[in-house]
Amino acid sequence: MNKSVLLGALAATVGTAGIAYAQGSTTLAAVQERGSLNCGVTTGVPGFAEPDGDGVWQGFDVAVCRAVAAAVLGDPTAVTFVPTTGKTRFTALASGEIDMLARNTTWTFSRDTDLKFDFVGVNYYDGQGFMVPADLGVSSATELDGATVCIQTGTTTELNLADYFRVNGMSYEPVPIETGAEAVQQYLAGACDVYTTDRSALAAQRAGFETPGDHVILPEVVSKEPLGPLVRHGDSEWGDIVRWTLNALISAEELGVTQSNVEEMAAAPGDNPEINRMLGTEGELGAMVGLSADAFKNAIAAVGNYGEVFDQNIGESTAIGLARGLNAQYYDGGLIYSPPFR
Amino acid sequence: MSDAPAHSVAFVRKTEIPAKAPPVAETGVLKWIKENLFSGPFNTIMTILGLLVIYYLLSGLIPWIVNGTWEGADIRECREILQGSGGGCFAVISDRWPQLLFGFQYPDYLRWRPTLAFLLLFLAVPPALFVMFLPRWTLIATAIYPFVAYWLIWGGTILAPLMSAVALIGGYMVFKTVEKGGFVKGLAAGIVSAFLILWIGGFISTAGANVLALEPVESRAMGGFMLNMILGTVCVSLSIPLGILLALGRQSKLPIVKGFCVVFIEFIRGVPLITLLFVANVVLAYFLPPQANFDLIIRVIIMITMFSAAYIAEVIRGGLAALPKGQYEAADSLGLDYPQAMRLIILPQALKISIPGIVNVAVGLFKDTTLVSVISMFDLVGMIRGPILSSTDWVGVYWELWAAACILFFIVCYGISQYSQWLERQLRTDHR
Amino acid sequence: MTTAADPPSAEGFRLGQLINDTRYRSYTFQAIALLALIFGFSWLAYNASQNEQLQANGFSYDFLFAPAGYDINQQPIPYTSQDTHLRATVIGAINTIIVAFLACVTATIFGVIAGVLRLSNNWIISKLMAIYVEMFRNIPVLIWIIIIFTVAANTFPPISEFRIPRDGSDPERTLLFGMFAATNQGVFVPRLVFEGLGWLVAVTFLASIAGVFGWRAHARNKLYSEGTVVPVLWPSLAILFVPTIVVYFVLGMPVSLESPEMGRFRFEGGFLLRPSLIALWFALSIYTGAFIAENVRAGILAISKGQTEAAAALGLRPGRIMSLVVLPQALRVIIPPLISQYLNITKNTSLAIAVGYMDLTGTLGGITLNQTGRALECILLLMLFYLTFSLAISAIMNVYNNSVKLKER
């Protein structure tokens, strides 16, 4: 009998441990009740989302999670990061395991409509590219007929690749790999001639190679990959919060609000009414989305403006070294553009 | 006939000649070698082939181990130290050892807690494993262990596990009291009262959230070999009672109960564990209450427990089938009802002969816990495949890491399977 | 409810009888079990109905008929990215069967060899086999698969060494016998090409194999019924090869061997054994082989020593004792666990996902699931496929088991 007592005890403890009920019907209420934001990220893409040596998540997508947590809860560390794979990310979001997904996810028609998600914006404009060893002597993707190509599965990448080679009448040997890290291992071992994924990830991963100079990223961009955070369809209030937090980061760069001067600017109303409205010194914008007046100020104070987030995580001064390119502000010829805070 | 005639003839030897040493080739090492290694042409060829294989393996392994280095902060420093000597870069293991054991999210200043829980395992498990040699009261250590281990690994107030324990003891006592009026009534009363105490205990532990509280650690912070150990022990322990119930259900004469058990067991045994893990990962969340925040680790524990319960049920069914029919009839003739017959006569014998089989299932299950790496959990294999091999510091250090993983798993699995073989010898009642 | 329908007994029905009376008790329990089941399932269904996302998406298999859009490397049947998800699923299923079949065959070979050798008198060999068995049994198969995959990518010569350098000089390595090349992108082997009536040659060869079995049966009958010894070896070889060769030349050599030829990046033509297939196949066979070795050893040890001694007393040589006396009897002990090992192999092929082999888990449970997002449908179908495989294998093997089982009369 002792044994069954023991086992029952185990069952009960695990049961009590695991079930934590979060009350509330809307996502916002649930997050506030829980006191932390469940944010889905990748299992590790350098520069975008990656745990550092101390296990703290860092990166470009991670910053969006932290900004939302700061806006909603006033605490950028109140985030529970849930690593997801290409397979699990959508169900994790759909089932309510995570409140938002900030994971290099391409905004496509079917994901927005058929899968019933809402993309709240674009935080990185990307495109799929190819990386080859320099000594392969290839200078254009059109010369890749018959090559062996490593692909990370579970992304739009493999569909774009199939389309590109079919349209150009070329054949290839696909080598599907579950994670980016393993795809890189295979590529470096020479088990495939070409590695294809989003160009930002190519640059990020190449930065980690022993001799980055031995590898070239081909000039062709074979797809549009607008990457952005997404939330469940049907909870527009929560969608608005995530959307406008992202927009606040973008507007902050445009308006010259930075991590260092935001406290000062928010202390008293300034000359620019839009800054005042965004930072909560004028108007009731925070209350309109169910947050405190200084919600967006907290977000900017937590991670900095869009440009700062970019430069700290993936910009030219980092190992990853991406240029702003399409991701410059609209007045610099890029596509980053926030609707006004009014 | 006289042994020593007085007029002994000179050439008749009186004493026995001392035995001559056998020929060199028929004695000692040489004989052994001749008989065991070179007894025929085929055997000789096999021996030479075997020696070649051993030479080949050792000539690769020994320089790798002997020339290897444990110094260096990353792969580049390591390569510099090695200078192409062909040694292994074991620095990755010394650098990432805590991550291999605990994952990358368990707070490093709290690592003593799972370590302590692991050490306590050696106090708690022997009473259950060597139940025939140790006094029965030592089983108390086994009974207390799950609560202590939970408290140590997950932290939080001690009241939560304490209340679970109280609920179980309370339920058991109620069961004992009411049981005289019938097993079923006793069971029902026991379960109800256990849940009642658990419910009240929930309030108490919420109210006293700071009583003897350790810093709480979230389930998703578990990782590394610790995750394999947790999944293995928890799921095996939970699946044994479930497996017993399923086995009894499958033997039962009640068609609905039997049908359900058969379908459940055959379904689970017919699909790969990985599909069940996919269910845990991507589907199960749809079927659980939307507000209940079941962690991935809990969902995985649910699915792996169901998986191993089906296999254990089949092992126990084998044990039940192996009992002579006379045992069932004897129980009936004593006037025992079904629960009594099962508890007092059938199960003790059936479980005894199923133990080696259960241990084999447990070893298999423990190895299968590595599959959680496929669903983005960072167990030992997940840590190696993901964060460690993808970090720029250690990209390309496969062999050392996989060797470490192999050694860890080998020690545990080989240990358990040796125990199972020993137990099999102990339980063998025939004399061969 | 069943209980309510039961007429009360003549003495008057009391509620307590539902539990205390053995006549009614089983009904009570069944009713409780049924209620619990219904309650459990409706709880699950209720939760699912509460999930807005699931409700909005509905439950439908229509996506199976939409174009898949992705490419598959190993195609046992023709496939392009414009074909449907269903066809991709079927290809995955065939790939699963291919690797499961190959692994079952080689695992049995490894297992029987290791099991027999572990009982050998040769100390070195038996210890080596013991090390093999313990090593592979006690380390997870997933680790073996990944290790072998890593070995294949890192220790085979890189394919670039086979390429013709751009300056036109000779490549560093060339094909073995002009036909084989083991590279880190896979092992290239020649392929049989059938032209025109070429298939007739293949049919003839298959018929010849059947003929050999027929001849052996005939020889055995002769031996048992008349006591005459009919030669087996040479006629068998003749039956095996002569008709095939004759047909081959009569039809004008319609079957040829296509060797791989170096293209711009890799070998064109021939047949490619991909690293993912090699890793999965080899890892599963060597891992399961260790378990089968233990079954074989147990089976042989289960044969009473008297059998061996009796055979030896008849003057049989050790090899013949093993093949004529011990193994046929041991087979009865070995086959039931062997069936479950075959089932394990089939289920373990799903680990293909770790190395990117495009089996059922890779297509239906992998890319199709990712692309369509229809997790519930895909995983249900996936389980159904594996369940069918498992049930089919156990059915076939049980038929075989019954045919070799000791017939008690």
Side-chain angles (χ1 to χ4, degrees), chain C residues 175-181 188-190 257-260:
Chain C
L175 289 166
L176 190 66
F177 309 126
M179 294 182 201
F180 300 95
F188 293 85
V189 295
L257 212 54
E258 184 195 70
S259 295

Side-chain angles (χ1 to χ4, degrees), chain A residues 86-88 90-91 94-95 110-111 113-117 134-138 143-148 153-156 158-159 161-163 166 172-178 182 186 189-193 232-233, chain C residues 51-54 56-57 68-74 80-82 146 149-150 153-154 158-159 163 166 184-185 264-266 268 272 274-275 353-358 361 365-367 369-375:
Chain A
K87 191 196 307 299
T88 63
F90 294 129
T91 29
S95 65
S110 63
R111 285 172 180 175
T113 57
D114 189 33
L115 291 184
K116 299 286 187 292
F117 294 117
D135 60 11
L136 197 62
V138 170
E143 297 167 28
L144 290 175
D145 191 9
T148 307
T153 61
T155 56
T156 47
E158 52 215 325
L159 305 188
L161 185 71
D163 287 347
R166 187 169 51 85
Y172 69 107
E173 161 87 9
V175 180
I177 312 277
E178 187 83 351
E182 278 171 316
Q186 292 291 310
C192 44
D193 308 312
R232 275 182 295 279
H233 187 83
Chain C
N51 187 298
E52 289 153 20
Q53 208 77 32
L54 200 60
N57 284 339
Y70 59 91
D71 283 302
I72 296 177
N73 46 21
Q74 181 174 307
T80 67
S81 59
Q82 295 305 294
I146 298 174
F149 189 55
T150 318
N154 290 282
I159 197 162
R163 289 196 186 119
R166 269 171 285 164
N184 60 355
Q185 292 194 359
R264 168 71 179 88
F265 292 102
R266 58 194 196 107
E268 314 275 338
L272 169 59
R274 291 176 176 77
I353 197 156
V355 290
Y357 178 75
M358 295 305 276
T361 318
I367 305 181
L369 192 161
N370 293 333
Q371 299 301 351
T372 60
R374 300 240 165 225

Side-chain angles (χ1 to χ4, degrees), chain A residues 2-3 6, chain B residues 120-136 138-143 229 233 236-237 240 351-352 355-356 358-360 362-363 412-427:
Chain A
N2 267 318
K3 191 166 273 174
L6 145 82
Chain B
L120 286 178
L121 194 66
F122 289 99
L123 282 183
V125 166
L129 292 188
F130 304 100
V131 72
M132 55 285 256
F133 299 111
L134 292 171
R136 282 187 73 89
T138 50
L139 276 173
I140 294 174
T142 317
M229 293 291 282
T233 45
V236 169
S237 329
I240 289 173
L351 285 183
K352 190 176 143 194
I355 289 178
I358 294 177
V359 176
N360 281 341
V363 174
V412 176
C413 296
Y414 187 71
I416 308 175
S417 64
Q418 288 306 103
Y419 163 76
S420 145
Q421 282 169 20
W422 172 83
L423 195 67
E424 221 163 327
R425 286 194 297 274
Q426 294 295 315
L427 294 176

Side-chain angles (χ1 to χ4, degrees), chain B residues 32-39 42-43 47, chain C residues 116-127 305 318:
Chain B
W32 184 87
I33 289 180
K34 192 180 155 201
E35 281 189 356
N36 286 301
L37 301 181
F38 299 102
S39 64
F42 175 72
N43 226 337
T47 305
Chain C
V116 171
L117 286 186
R118 198 175 171 184
L119 292 170
S120 135
N121 290 327
N122 190 320
W123 185 82
I124 289 185
I125 293 297
S126 66
K127 284 293 170 245
K305 208 160 168 35

